[in-house]
Amino acid sequence: MASDERADASLLSATDSTALIAPSEYRDQFSDLPIAEAQILRDQVKTPEVKTSFFSAYRYATMRDKFVIAFAVFCAAAEGSIKAAMPIMFGLFAQNFTDYITSRDFYGYFGGYDNFMYEYEKYTTASYFNSSDFNSSYFTDSPYYESTYNFTMIPMYVSDDDFQREASYNSIYFIYFAIAEMLFSYVFVFTLIDRGDVLAARIRQNYLGAILKQNMAYFDKLGTGEITTRISSDTMMIQDGISEKLGYLISFSSTFVCSFIVGYSLSPRLAGFLSIVAVFIVGSFIFASSRMTALYSKALNGSSAGGSIVEEVLSSIRNVQAFGIQERLSSRYDYFLGVSQRYALRAGFYAGSISGIAWLGLYLDDAMAFYEGPKFLLRNEISILALVTILASMIQGLFAITSITVHVRAVSASASAINKIYTTIDRESAIDSASLAGRTLDKVEGNLELKDVKFIYPSRPDVIVMQNFNLKIKAGTTVALVGASGSGKSTIVGLIERFYKPVKGKVYFDGVDIEELNVKWLRQQIALVQQEPILFAGTVYENVAFGLIGTSFEFASEIEKRALVEDACTQANAMIFIDTLPKGLDTHVGDRGFLLSGGQKQRVAIARAIVSNPKILLLDEATSALDTKSEGIVQDALDKASKNRTTIVIAHRLSTIKDANTIVVMNRGVILETGTHDELIAKRGEYYGLVQTQNVEHDIEKTFEQAEIIDGVEVDSVEEMLDEKAVLDGEVQSESEESSTSMDKETSRLLLSRTKTARSISSAIASNMVEETEKQYTVKELFFFLYDLSRPEAKLNLIALGFTIIMAAGYPYLSTVYSGSVDALGELPDEEAMLRRLKVNNITYLIMGAIELICPIMAVGLFSYSGQRLVRRIRMRTLRQIVRQDIGFFDMKANTSGSLTSAISKDSGAIEGLSGATLGQLFNSAIMLFGAIGVALGVAWKLAAVASSCIPLLLASGFYRFYLLAKHQASVKAAYGQSSSYACEAASSIKTVAALTKEDHVIVNYKNALDSLHTGGVRQNSNSAMLYALSQSLVYLIQALIFWYGSTLVRTDNYSVYMFFVAMISITNGTQNGSIIFSYALDMARAYDAAGNIKRLYEHEPLIDSWSNEGEVLNDTDGNIEFKNVHFRYPTRLQVPVLRGLNLTVKRGQYVALVGASGCGKSTTIGLLERFYNPLSGQIFLDGRDISTLNINDYRSHIALVQQEPTLYSGSVRENVKYGSLDVEISDEAMYDACKKANIHDFIMSLPDGYETMCGAKGSLFSGGQKQRIAIARALIRDPKVLLLDEATSALDNESEKVVQTALDNAAKGRTTIAIAHRLSTIQKADIIYVFENGRVLESGTHQELLANKMKYYELVKLQALEQN
């Protein structure tokens, strides 16, 4: 467990990418090396930390972009300032209503204005003249006596008509505000969304461009899953922070600032007093925001590191399912999710504290205003208008702060993501393929020289790969490099391609140090075919045409390019199988070429290499994946292609390099001997020993010389019979059968022709298979789906909801207290009555402030906690559900490892975007809206009923916006998934991309994909912005209605100031909160789309379910296997038959070999045995039981698989070997034993960290042969009853192959072994050899029996004879 955590910690630190150059007193992994050498290695791996800010997101903005964004920012600020103007209108109406109601009540008491004036004139006259005929009690007994005693305190008379006219006039301003609101809101929302799309796309392009130009050492610890996560999830965070949420942030900030400007303009002293609270809030806000940014940055590291694990798992899904290690690898992913969750949780509580402190400030402001404000009134320093306006302004500003939290979170997260993205973008590559620096040569001959080269891999500084290495290669010659795995052969290719730098010595190209040459130009003079061929998603034609990049034919006409491609494919013996494909050259090869067999991929890669007629050809085991027949023909093509150009061949099969001008035998970075084939054979040294191990039969040649024909068929005809095109097209050779036996006739009839029965069975079943349509869900269905997912957090969510209800209910209740405070001001000049009422209200404000401080912290914090747990569980369950699927699911074009990795990150991120603080804000706003309506109906039902009737319009516009965005997200998903997959594919195949100088092509295609995504979304963004603007403007129109109709009710229904202000404040704030809900429409749309994706995946039941407990469990098994009339076609290519009635039997303990041409069905047979697929018809039996009736996990536990292309996982060697065992706690002794059998133990122990040595992403820190031996050890450690070897020794050198083959022979004893082999030397001792042709068994028998038959196997053996004896 400790090793797990160390490995995970190292991966997490690797993703942080901050390997700074250490000061002299600090030691790092390179410190023990000479200073100059250490610096060369550091330069290749260091990634200095860069200083970025939020504004770094605009690095790629043009002047036009900056002007447009500046205008949008101005519009957002203007929109916010409109809200700040509302308190002025509020104060104006408060003054008008107070004046009118005071006038109405005063003069109404005296029977009206005219009657009062008449009586008052009599009163003043009588008093003045001491008249006895006037009844003074008429005034002295009235409640207004003290007021009327002072002539100046008689209220100003306001008539009904004047009041209504004034109210109607002021209401018109709200219509003006609504128009301005619509205009400003539309402009800033649309502009920021649109430019956010554009700028995020440019950041993605530059990030991918920066990735593609990095030197190879950068990728030794960086997983492609992290790249996928960064380019999808992290850039989405940046886009979120610079799009509409930035506009909302600016708008609310503008409201905050402008509100204080309004307050200070009316009374600097009172506003200054109230600003104490604002200073406290802003200080807390800055501190909490900085902590949020830091915590989200750490959370991103965890999720990105986990993304690399996901990509590794999904890109090797066959290996994962074969060994049943889904849960073990998933648990490593869960570790990093735990890291991310811990930091995100703490950030959530900081977000809640911002909101809580803001609410506390709002109530403190109320208390302070109504405590200090009346003193200003009594001193006649301000009016009621000014007091109410100042207080409303302060509240408006503080309310803006409470609404700003979620948007600050988005901007903070984007700032964290910017730093991570720009750390890569700003990294200076030690070998920059994008740089224009460096020389180009006018004439290229092709001379190469390595002089005094010392080389160390930066990822393994303790191991010296080469020391004082010297090698000269003359132009036009072919030099072959042979030797054990790890001897430095592939390193030479890497140095010539400038993938790495030597720490000492030089590499010369035509006498020029290659470090002086332009990197891209140099690579364009070289063609590379790697040991593990990499193809890109696209057609066969496109893949071959990539070889023309950088040549004069890159921009040639389509006709000319197609001719070159066809010629190259013909030379590479690829047209034979290409012509059988459904669309020929235009057939799609699938993700990483998975729709082609290994040999077919290799031939396409060779065609790609020779299509440009390069000056230098590097062949790193170029024919290792080819069958014998194809290898011979392709080798002839390569021999021709090698003429007049420099060729370096790395070969384990010595048959491929007999004609080389020079053969260099290497061991551990040292040249042991050089010479031609004949010279080295004559020396009888190391090379001679290697040759001896690869002789199939010493007496075969003599047998061949005696054989002119094969059962009446000339050898040339047999070669024709081996032609894949002839076989797959079902063309039967015209040959004389009269001298053949009846058995020969039957074999020829069954195996060299298509039977109608076979075709009808597979075709009929395939034609009845209906492609699934993507299911769509309603909002209700997805709501309950997410509700069910979050059941484990139900108690937490209920508690959080309780705090939210209390928090949200406080604001509608505040309207009653606030209205009471405004109404209390009308008690003047009765100072005592006014202060008594305000004292009670102020105590209420303080109590509510304390409650509102705690509630947001708890609500947002708990929602964040439950949200993070939900997202973690969704990610884990999604990964488990994905790895649960059968292999047919991964064969589909849409389900590439890159797109699935991106989907896990993006979909769960969308759910996360709607949880935590956002979910709390949504609940808060909804409760405020309906709570406000309830309070208003209870106090002033007429006004509330009319105003509330308009709210459905507000909600409808918001919901329609959500609908449009959700619809848009569906189209975005397809385009975005495709572009993410494309980027991931390029990053995971970086060596191939670099060798082809395909970087610019990748970036252009990626840019086009993003541009089309943006172009398609412009109209939707415009509609979305318009609907948001409409919903915002409706708030002002509703307020216009409230003030107009409210004034009518005050005039006609005797509404008091208290009744009107309760209804007005409640409805106004309710509508504002209702409009806030739909500022999250984009988040809701993304969450809706993501929830649909997740639900579809969860409901997808695989045909072969690794979760199923159904099926018979075998207590023990003997290992008898039988294929009975098996027909099969791949689900993604139902039109192409693969197996056509396969029948074969393997008895207990037998060693059985499958041989045949590439694409004949050998690997498919292994896949069916592993139950990766079900056959279309026919049955497969294990010990007499149909394997489809057996429990899938128990069945696979009896089988071990070693694939053609070995798969290792990031982590230690110990972990990778033990993944093969069913026992998680298996002993180290068993591991050592398995590694010894696989001939890898001594090598592992020679490493500085032994079994704790990290393998790197996908085992990148080991050579192909080393990876294969570790993979073999992984298979042997589980002691399987059935051992499946799919070219298990193809990547091994001769010495290792001999030892490992002996180990495999020993391991095969007592168990059933099925081996696919192209090297017939590895299977000549097999108990039975099945020769495949056209999806059937052509012939079978032992090695000697098949030689005696003199059919196809005989021809294959002849082709592999290495030397005359």
Side-chain angles (χ1 to χ4, degrees):
M1 188 64 185
S3 63
D4 284 348
E5 293 186 4
R6 284 197 299 272
D8 294 337
S10 68
L11 178 57
L12 184 56
S13 64
T15 61
D16 207 21
S17 303
T18 55
L20 299 172
I21 299 176
S24 57
E25 67 272 11
Y26 178 80
R27 294 182 59 80
D28 64 3
Q29 57 183 330
F30 307 116
S31 298
D32 293 330
L33 297 171
I35 295 174
E37 295 180 8
Q39 190 58 46
I40 290 173
L41 295 177
R42 282 196 192 100
D43 288 343
Q44 294 181 75
V45 297
K46 71 176 182 181
T47 305
E49 188 67 54
V50 298
K51 290 186 177 180
T52 58
S53 67
F54 171 76
F55 297 102
S56 300
Y58 298 97
R59 177 188 294 183
Y60 303 110
T62 63
M63 285 304 297
R64 176 180 174 275
D65 291 330
K66 291 177 181 177
F67 174 78
V68 170
I69 292 169
F71 182 68
V73 168
F74 166 77
C75 289
E79 191 265 350
S81 67
I82 294 174
K83 292 185 176 72
M86 296 308 298
I88 299 174
M89 299 302 300
F90 184 82
L92 189 61
F93 271 98
Q95 185 72 62
N96 291 342
F97 275 52
T98 302
D99 289 346
Y100 172 72
I101 291 172
T102 302
S103 170
R104 181 195 66 186
D105 293 346
F106 178 85
Y107 293 109
Y109 177 84
F110 293 105
Y113 176 73
D114 291 338
N115 189 57
F116 170 78
M117 292 306 296
Y118 172 74
E119 293 294 339
Y120 185 68
E121 184 178 353
K122 287 169 57 180
Y123 171 72
T124 53
T125 303
S127 299
Y128 185 76
F129 293 103
N130 295 314
S131 173
S132 60
D133 62 348
F134 180 75
N135 183 11
S136 60
S137 63
Y138 182 79
F139 288 103
T140 56
D141 293 345
S142 74
Y144 303 102
Y145 174 70
E146 291 183 2
S147 299
T148 57
Y149 187 78
N150 183 349
F151 183 78
T152 59
M153 294 300 292
I154 296 175
M156 178 183 69
Y157 174 68
V158 181
S159 69
D160 292 349
D161 291 340
D162 288 342
F163 169 67
Q164 189 66 65
R165 189 183 305 109
E166 185 72 16
S168 299
Y169 178 78
N170 290 335
S171 296
I172 293 175
Y173 283 108
F174 286 100
I175 298 175
Y176 298 152
F177 289 150
I179 295 171
E181 175 70 31
M182 176 173 281
L183 179 64
F184 289 137
S185 294
Y186 171 78
V187 170
F188 92 73
V189 171
F190 171 70
T191 303
L192 291 178
I193 291 177
D194 182 69
R195 290 302 93 188
D197 284 350
V198 171
L199 294 177
R202 289 178 192 160
I203 291 172
R204 290 186 182 105
Q205 293 164 33
N206 281 277
Y207 177 75
L208 181 59
I211 286 291
L212 296 180
K213 75 176 184 179
Q214 298 302 325
N215 52 283
M216 293 304 140
Y218 178 79
F219 297 94
D220 288 344
K221 288 188 177 180
L222 182 73
T224 54
E226 178 178 347
I227 296 170
T228 305
T229 302
R230 293 264 184 243
I231 209 166
S232 56
S233 180
D234 289 10
T235 53
M236 186 64 76
M237 285 185 184
I238 296 174
Q239 185 172 340
D240 243 9
I242 62 176
S243 295
E244 58 179 328
K245 288 183 180 176
L246 174 63
Y248 302 145
L249 178 61
I250 293 168
S251 175
F252 285 125
S253 299
S254 173
T255 301
F256 175 77
V257 172
C258 292
S259 294
F260 276 76
I261 291 173
V262 169
Y264 272 92
S265 66
L266 293 173
S267 176
R269 286 181 60 199
L270 181 57
F273 176 70
L274 298 180
S275 295
I276 297 172
V277 175
V279 172
F280 168 66
I281 291 175
V282 171
S284 304
F285 173 82
I286 292 171
F287 170 75
S289 296
S290 64
R291 292 297 302 143
M292 280 171 60
T293 301
L295 290 168
Y296 278 122
S297 178
K298 292 179 180 178
L300 282 175
N301 280 344
S303 59
S304 296
S308 291
I309 294 174
V310 171
E311 202 278 333
E312 278 190 334
V313 171
L314 298 183
S315 63
S316 60
I317 190 64
R318 286 168 174 79
N319 195 72
V320 169
Q321 291 199 357
F323 283 95
I325 53 177
Q326 297 97 319
E327 284 303 313
R328 279 193 258 183
L329 290 173
S330 296
S331 65
R332 295 193 66 221
Y333 178 53
D334 189 52
Y335 168 83
F336 289 106
L337 293 182
V339 173
S340 180
Q341 176 184 310
R342 286 195 297 273
Y343 288 120
L345 170 63
R346 289 164 60 186
F349 275 98
Y350 276 107
S353 68
I354 291 176
S355 185
I357 291 171
W359 279 107
L360 171 64
L362 188 147
Y363 287 100
L364 283 178
D365 248 0
D366 282 338
M368 291 169 65
F370 285 114
Y371 172 78
E372 193 69 20
K375 298 178 182 178
F376 285 79
L377 277 177
L378 293 172
R379 293 196 295 267
N380 290 322
E381 293 183 19
I382 58 172
S383 63
I384 292 178
L385 165 64
L387 175 59
V388 172
T389 301
I390 292 169
L391 180 55
S393 294
M394 294 297 174
I395 292 174
Q396 183 78 23
L398 294 176
F399 182 76
I401 291 293
T402 64
S403 304
I404 216 171
T405 308
V406 177
H407 307 305
V408 170
R409 177 185 181 277
V411 173
S412 296
S414 73
S416 300
I418 286 167
N419 184 264
K420 296 301 174 187
I421 293 288
Y422 278 34
T423 295
T424 300
I425 290 177
D426 291 345
R427 181 183 186 270
E428 291 186 12
S429 175
I431 305 170
D432 189 352
S433 61
S435 173
L436 299 177
R439 297 171 55 188
T440 59
L441 305 181
D442 296 331
K443 183 180 179 182
V444 175
E445 295 180 3
N447 295 294
L448 293 170
E449 181 182 3
L450 285 81
K451 189 172 183 180
D452 298 327
V453 169
K454 178 181 179 181
F455 181 77
I456 299 172
Y457 281 101
S459 55
R460 206 179 297 148
D462 300 322
V463 179
I464 298 175
V465 179
M466 286 182 175
Q467 180 81 37
N468 299 323
F469 186 87
N470 291 276
L471 178 64
K472 279 189 177 182
I473 302 172
K474 293 182 179 179
T477 62
T478 297
V479 174
L481 307 177
V482 298
S485 293
S487 62
K489 305 183 300 296
S490 295
T491 299
I492 292 174
V493 171
L495 289 172
I496 293 171
E497 282 274 11
R498 284 206 71 192
F499 290 157
Y500 298 93
K501 283 184 175 183
V503 295
K504 193 176 180 182
K506 298 290 183 182
V507 180
Y508 295 97
F509 180 88
D510 282 348
V512 180
D513 185 349
I514 63 171
E515 294 195 12
E516 297 178 14
L517 298 174
N518 178 267
V519 175
K520 182 168 287 189
W521 177 87
L522 172 67
R523 290 174 180 169
Q524 286 171 350
Q525 313 311 309
I526 303 170
L528 170 66
V529 181
Q530 292 175 286
Q531 186 174 351
E532 297 173 10
I534 300 292
L535 299 186
F536 300 96
T539 65
V540 176
Y541 167 75
E542 289 169 345
N543 271 278
V544 177
F546 288 146
L548 295 172
I549 293 174
T551 70
S552 58
F553 297 104
E554 180 178 1
F555 303 105
S557 67
E558 196 70 15
I559 296 174
E560 194 173 3
K561 285 170 73 173
R562 188 168 284 269
L564 289 170
V565 167
E566 288 179 358
D567 183 56
C569 290
T570 301
Q571 289 184 56
N573 192 31
M575 285 306 294
I576 292 173
F577 80 84
I578 291 172
D579 285 341
T580 69
L581 298 175
K583 296 182 180 178
L585 281 170
D586 296 317
T587 301
H588 202 282
V589 300
D591 182 35
R592 292 178 172 84
F594 75 85
L595 294 178
L596 302 182
S597 71
Q600 291 168 342
K601 285 196 289 184
Q602 192 68 287
R603 278 178 279 176
V604 173
I606 292 169
R608 181 175 64 195
I610 63 178
V611 71
S612 63
N613 194 27
K615 284 291 183 183
I616 297 176
L617 191 60
L618 305 179
L619 306 175
D620 189 352
E621 275 294 309
T623 60
S624 64
L626 300 182
D627 57 87
T628 304
K629 171 68 179 178
S630 298
E631 179 185 19
I633 297 174
V634 173
Q635 194 60 48
D636 287 340
L638 290 175
D639 290 342
K640 293 175 185 176
S642 298
K643 292 180 180 178
N644 301 320
R645 65 165 58 93
T646 307
T647 306
I648 298 177
V649 182
I650 295 176
H652 290 148
R653 296 195 208 176
L654 304 183
S655 60
T656 63
I657 50 97
K658 285 190 303 178
D659 299 327
N661 300 105
T662 304
I663 297 173
V664 179
V665 183
M666 299 174 60
N667 186 36
R668 297 191 177 183
V670 176
I671 295 176
L672 300 180
E673 55 184 355
T674 62
T676 64
H677 172 75
D678 293 334
E679 290 170 352
L680 293 175
I681 288 293
K683 284 183 180 180
R684 301 219 163 208
E686 289 288 329
Y687 182 75
Y688 179 79
L690 295 173
V691 168
Q692 289 302 309
T693 64
Q694 287 197 358
N695 282 328
V696 180
E697 292 274 300
H698 289 292
D699 58 348
I700 291 176
E701 189 63 32
K702 186 182 293 184
T703 307
F704 283 149
E705 290 171 359
Q706 296 171 355
E708 295 294 332
I709 58 174
I710 301 175
D711 288 347
V713 182
E714 294 184 3
V715 172
D716 287 343
S717 297
V718 176
E719 291 184 5
E720 290 175 17
M721 187 176 72
L722 289 168
D723 187 314
E724 289 176 49
K725 182 175 187 294
V727 171
L728 294 177
D729 284 346
E731 296 175 9
V732 183
Q733 304 296 325
S734 58
E735 56 185 51
S736 172
E737 295 182 344
E738 284 152 14
S739 62
S740 302
T741 63
S742 60
M743 180 64 74
D744 292 329
K745 290 179 181 179
E746 182 68 5
T747 300
S748 178
R749 182 179 65 80
L750 289 175
L751 301 178
L752 294 179
S753 66
R754 286 182 178 174
T755 65
K756 292 182 179 179
T757 304
R759 183 168 55 201
S760 62
I761 290 173
S762 60
S763 298
I765 294 174
S767 63
N768 288 329
M769 297 179 72
V770 180
E771 187 176 342
E772 291 184 23
T773 56
E774 190 174 85
K775 188 175 181 182
Q776 300 298 322
Y777 302 100
T778 63
V779 174
K780 180 181 177 182
E781 287 176 315
L782 294 179
F783 174 80
F784 283 107
F785 168 67
L786 290 176
Y787 174 76
D788 288 336
L789 281 180
S790 60
R791 278 185 184 276
E793 289 78 41
K795 291 183 179 178
L796 283 174
N797 285 329
L798 283 175
I799 295 172
L801 183 60
F803 281 112
T804 302
I805 291 172
I806 296 171
M807 175 178 68
Y811 210 70
Y813 178 68
L814 175 65
S815 66
T816 64
V817 181
Y818 184 83
S819 298
S821 298
V822 173
D823 189 52
L825 299 177
E827 295 285 353
L828 286 175
D830 189 344
E831 179 181 341
E832 184 179 344
M834 178 186 72
L835 294 177
R836 185 171 59 250
R837 289 181 61 184
L838 288 177
K839 181 179 180 181
V840 174
N841 288 343
N842 286 342
I843 293 172
T844 304
Y845 289 135
L846 294 175
I847 294 172
M848 291 178 68
I851 295 172
E852 295 291 320
L853 169 65
I854 298 169
C855 286
I857 296 175
M858 297 304 298
V860 176
L862 289 174
F863 273 132
S864 293
Y865 179 57
S866 63
Q868 287 298 320
R869 284 182 53 176
L870 171 64
V871 169
R872 180 180 181 180
R873 193 165 56 256
I874 286 176
R875 284 178 172 166
M876 274 300 296
R877 184 172 168 184
T878 301
L879 177 60
R880 288 193 175 108
Q881 182 71 16
I882 288 174
V883 298
R884 168 197 181 191
Q885 301 302 314
D886 51 55
I887 299 300
F889 173 84
F890 299 93
D891 289 346
M892 289 188 284
K893 186 177 177 181
N895 295 333
T896 65
S897 59
S899 62
L900 289 173
T901 303
S902 174
I904 291 176
S905 174
K906 186 168 73 69
D907 288 344
S908 58
I911 300 295
E912 182 181 12
L914 200 61
S915 62
T918 306
L919 184 62
Q921 182 66 58
L922 287 172
F923 276 129
N924 185 51
S925 297
I927 294 167
M928 278 188 181
L929 172 61
F930 294 107
I933 294 173
V935 169
L937 287 171
V939 176
W941 71 268
K942 286 185 179 180
L943 179 57
V946 172
S948 299
S949 65
C950 301
I951 292 179
L953 290 174
L954 180 74
L955 299 178
S957 64
F959 276 115
Y960 188 58
R961 182 183 186 225
F962 163 72
Y963 167 76
L964 287 181
L965 287 171
K967 191 176 178 182
H968 177 52
Q969 284 299 307
S971 60
V972 166
K973 181 185 76 171
Y976 192 74
Q978 183 180 359
S979 63
S980 293
S981 177
Y982 186 75
C984 178
E985 178 188 55
S988 63
S989 311
I990 185 62
K991 284 188 178 179
T992 303
V993 171
L996 292 170
T997 63
K998 188 175 177 278
E999 298 94 339
D1000 291 341
H1001 181 273
V1002 169
I1003 294 168
V1004 167
N1005 280 2
Y1006 186 61
K1007 178 181 183 298
N1008 291 339
L1010 294 176
D1011 287 347
S1012 63
L1013 183 62
H1014 170 253
T1015 303
V1018 170
R1019 184 175 178 183
Q1020 290 288 358
N1021 291 339
S1022 177
N1023 292 338
S1024 168
M1026 180 56 71
L1027 286 169
Y1028 173 77
L1030 177 63
S1031 66
Q1032 294 300 299
S1033 63
L1034 278 173
V1035 173
Y1036 295 98
L1037 295 176
I1038 291 172
Q1039 288 179 349
L1041 175 63
I1042 290 173
F1043 280 105
W1044 175 80
Y1045 186 61
S1047 63
T1048 302
L1049 291 175
V1050 168
R1051 181 172 57 85
T1052 60
D1053 284 35
N1054 290 322
Y1055 266 39
S1056 66
V1057 171
Y1058 174 77
M1059 292 173 65
F1060 172 78
F1061 276 103
V1062 167
M1064 186 271 293
I1065 293 173
S1066 296
I1067 298 296
T1068 298
N1069 290 329
T1071 53
Q1072 284 181 342
N1073 277 282
S1075 66
I1076 286 173
I1077 291 175
F1078 298 106
S1079 66
Y1080 302 107
L1082 184 57
D1083 295 293
M1084 290 189 282
R1086 286 174 178 164
Y1088 169 80
D1089 181 63
N1093 297 337
I1094 294 168
K1095 184 172 171 62
R1096 267 187 293 276
L1097 177 64
Y1098 287 4
E1099 291 179 351
H1100 188 273
E1101 294 288 338
L1103 295 173
I1104 303 169
D1105 190 355
S1106 61
W1107 285 5
S1108 174
N1109 293 319
E1110 297 178 358
E1112 183 182 353
V1113 175
L1114 301 175
N1115 295 323
D1116 193 19
T1117 180
D1118 294 329
N1120 296 297
I1121 294 171
E1122 182 183 3
F1123 279 69
K1124 196 170 183 180
N1125 198 30
V1126 171
H1127 295 263
F1128 179 75
R1129 302 182 182 204
Y1130 283 101
T1132 53
R1133 287 167 60 184
L1134 291 171
Q1135 70 275 30
V1136 179
V1138 180
L1139 297 182
R1140 312 181 185 191
L1142 177 66
N1143 292 281
L1144 63 82
T1145 302
V1146 183
K1147 294 181 181 179
R1148 171 186 179 180
Q1150 278 190 330
Y1151 188 106
V1152 173
L1154 311 180
V1155 300
S1158 296
C1160 67
K1162 305 185 300 296
S1163 293
T1164 301
T1165 303
I1166 296 292
L1168 289 173
L1169 264 177
E1170 275 282 3
R1171 278 208 74 196
F1172 291 155
Y1173 306 92
N1174 285 327
L1176 284 177
S1177 66
Q1179 292 174 294
I1180 304 170
F1181 296 95
L1182 175 67
D1183 292 343
R1185 299 176 178 86
D1186 188 334
I1187 64 172
S1188 64
T1189 66
L1190 302 178
N1191 179 271
I1192 183 62
N1193 293 312
D1194 177 71
Y1195 168 70
R1196 285 177 177 163
S1197 70
H1198 299 291
I1199 301 173
L1201 170 67
V1202 181
Q1203 292 176 293
Q1204 185 173 354
E1205 297 174 9
T1207 299
L1208 299 185
Y1209 303 96
S1210 57
S1212 66
V1213 175
R1214 180 188 305 277
E1215 291 169 328
N1216 272 277
V1217 175
K1218 288 190 175 183
Y1219 280 147
S1221 173
L1222 300 172
D1223 180 9
V1224 179
E1225 304 297 331
I1226 192 168
S1227 67
D1228 285 352
E1229 286 70 25
M1231 176 184 68
Y1232 298 148
D1233 183 56
C1235 290
K1236 287 174 183 177
K1237 289 178 180 178
N1239 191 34
I1240 191 67
H1241 176 75
D1242 291 341
F1243 168 75
I1244 295 172
M1245 294 305 294
S1246 71
L1247 298 172
D1249 295 327
Y1251 280 87
E1252 299 304 324
T1253 301
M1254 303 306 290
C1255 296
K1258 299 184 180 179
S1260 60
L1261 301 183
F1262 290 102
S1263 70
Q1266 292 160 355
K1267 286 195 291 184
Q1268 191 66 287
R1269 282 180 281 166
I1270 293 173
I1272 292 170
R1274 181 173 60 203
L1276 295 179
I1277 198 174
R1278 70 169 24 196
D1279 191 23
K1281 290 291 185 181
V1282 179
L1283 187 61
L1284 306 178
L1285 307 173
D1286 189 352
E1287 275 292 306
T1289 60
S1290 65
L1292 301 182
D1293 57 86
N1294 299 299
E1295 192 64 34
S1296 297
E1297 179 185 8
K1298 184 178 179 181
V1299 177
V1300 171
Q1301 192 61 48
T1302 302
L1304 290 175
D1305 291 341
N1306 293 332
K1309 293 177 182 178
R1311 61 169 57 93
T1312 304
T1313 304
I1314 299 177
I1316 295 176
H1318 290 146
R1319 294 195 217 174
L1320 303 184
S1321 61
T1322 64
I1323 50 92
Q1324 58 179 309
K1325 295 181 182 179
D1327 297 307
I1328 187 169
I1329 299 170
Y1330 285 100
V1331 183
F1332 275 58
E1333 182 95 326
N1334 196 21
R1336 305 182 184 91
V1337 175
L1338 177 65
E1339 57 176 339
S1340 63
T1342 64
H1343 173 69
Q1344 296 291 348
E1345 289 171 349
L1346 292 174
L1347 285 178
N1349 285 348
K1350 296 181 180 180
M1351 290 182 65
K1352 179 176 181 178
Y1353 185 76
Y1354 179 85
E1355 172 67 8
L1356 295 175
V1357 171
K1358 177 185 175 183
L1359 293 171
Q1360 280 196 6
L1362 189 63
E1363 61 177 329
Q1364 296 182 357
N1365 295 286

